[in-house]
Amino acid sequence: METISEILRSADAPPASFEEYLDRYADKVGDLVNEYIPRGTHPDMDRYLYDPLLSYSRNGGKRHRPLICFAACMAVGGNADLATSAAAAIEHFHTAALIHDDIADEAEVRRGEPCLHLTEGMGLAINMGDLALTLACGTVMQDPILDDATKIRVVSELITMTCRTVEGQALDIGWARDERYDITPEDYLVMATHKTAHYSGAVPLACGAIIGGGTEPEVEALRSYGLDTGLAFQIQDDLLNLIGAEESTKKDFRSDITEGKRTLVVVHALQNLGSADRERLIGILSSKERDPEVLAEAVALMEGAGSIEYARSYAERLTSAAKERLRETVAPSQPRDMLESMADWFVGRLK
């Protein structure tokens, strides 16, 4: 298996944008990450655990979390190969989060394929998610090329990241269970920061910078950048589920409405709609509605409240301020430019 340094050196020229960075390296980085999924000591362990988890992980999307971990390591002058186990750990945590999240949401489709709990059964899917969670710390602790002090610091980051994500998930699930429609945009931002921004932005960047030998100001600047851009990423994901052109062709288009998710768009709309429209939107969100015409009606209500534009503008403001702060602390380099381009890609996916 190629190392990340060999993978990055294989190109004639560095990628011109973050989107090109993802497109060029996602598959190879996915293969690298999946090397950390072990094999069983009994054939049925593979059948009921390792093989379906590996298949699930191979359908892994853009791999932006490991790729930004590598970029942060290089942005502070470090050797990206040293960040491989941490990058893999965060990606496997992401796998665990998706498996468990789909069970909690009673979702049916993930990345164009039936959810794991539907193909393998609830019990086995939970077990696979649990295994992916163990890989989050195990890959780093068993890494033969990281020194012990760095391992301890990185694992501490991963433990805190796990706690923050679970806290955010508790808010998300609890609000849905209790049919809470009094959630404010400020409440949503706390939930999304905990549930998504730590593991999708802040911790991959902080771990990369720690492993790369970055100064404390560099580590914290990259962490802060990851929090802001990770939150913007989640807001844009919520918007794409409602109005994304590519997403409109997929089976899970507007599934956030079916699942009654309290997104920034939804909570803003509930605060700004008139009483009749607010009650209608609550009715749709509460009914697990799948009819495309009714889902479109819900989107129209949110648009009428100015909520889609509100969320889009909020994400753009987040990334604009985050880029300015990053430039103040991290020295110019091609990897830093790549991370700066990431913010533009996050908020440009709807344009």
Side-chain angles (χ1 to χ4, degrees), residues 313-339:
S313 297
Y314 193 96
E316 289 174 349
R317 291 196 303 273
L318 268 178
T319 55
S320 178
K323 288 194 296 182
E324 288 185 16
R325 292 196 301 272
L326 182 71
R327 294 188 202 112
E328 291 171 0
T329 308
V330 180
S333 66
Q334 195 275 333
R336 194 205 72 175
D337 291 345
M338 192 60 53
L339 291 173

Side-chain angles (χ1 to χ4, degrees), residues 104-105 166-183 191 195 260 262:
D105 291 341
V166 171
E167 290 170 342
Q169 181 76 327
L171 294 178
D172 199 21
I173 295 171
W175 291 340
R177 186 199 69 180
D178 292 346
E179 298 184 353
R180 294 278 302 277
Y181 292 103
D182 59 340
I183 307 306
M191 182 276 291
K195 180 177 176 178
R262 277 65 169 169

Side-chain angles (χ1 to χ4, degrees), residues 18 21-22 26 60-69 91 199-201 204 230 233 342 345-346:
F18 186 71
Y21 179 54
L22 298 183
K62 295 289 190 179
R63 307 290 188 187
H64 95 258
R65 293 164 187 83
L67 280 163
I68 65 174
C69 182
E91 186 69 0
Y199 92 84
S200 290
F233 176 81
M342 173 184 79
W345 179 75
F346 280 172

Side-chain angles (χ1 to χ4, degrees), residues 187-296:
D187 294 325
Y188 166 86
L189 295 171
V190 171
M191 182 276 291
T193 298
H194 281 65
K195 180 177 176 178
T196 301
H198 282 281
Y199 92 84
S200 290
V203 173
L205 294 180
C207 285
I210 289 166
I211 293 167
T215 64
E216 285 307 305
E218 287 175 325
V219 171
E220 294 312 312
L222 284 160
R223 185 195 308 281
S224 176
Y225 184 71
L227 276 177
D228 287 343
T229 55
L231 181 55
F233 176 81
Q234 181 60 58
I235 293 169
Q236 288 297 92
D237 257 13
D238 295 342
L239 286 168
L240 287 167
N241 188 265
L242 296 177
I243 59 173
E246 181 180 344
E247 283 70 17
S248 67
T249 66
K250 298 177 180 178
K251 291 181 180 179
D252 59 349
F253 185 52
R254 295 178 173 165
S255 61
D256 284 356
I257 301 173
T258 305
E259 296 167 14
K261 292 200 173 209
R262 277 65 169 169
T263 64
L264 185 59
V265 180
V266 165
V267 299
H268 180 271
L270 291 175
Q271 281 200 325
N272 289 277
L273 286 170
S275 58
D277 286 341
R278 184 178 188 275
E279 288 307 310
R280 176 56 179 156
L281 181 57
I282 288 174
I284 295 171
L285 292 167
S286 302
S287 62
K288 297 191 180 295
E289 186 60 63
R290 297 179 185 276
D291 184 334
E293 291 187 6
V294 179
L295 298 179

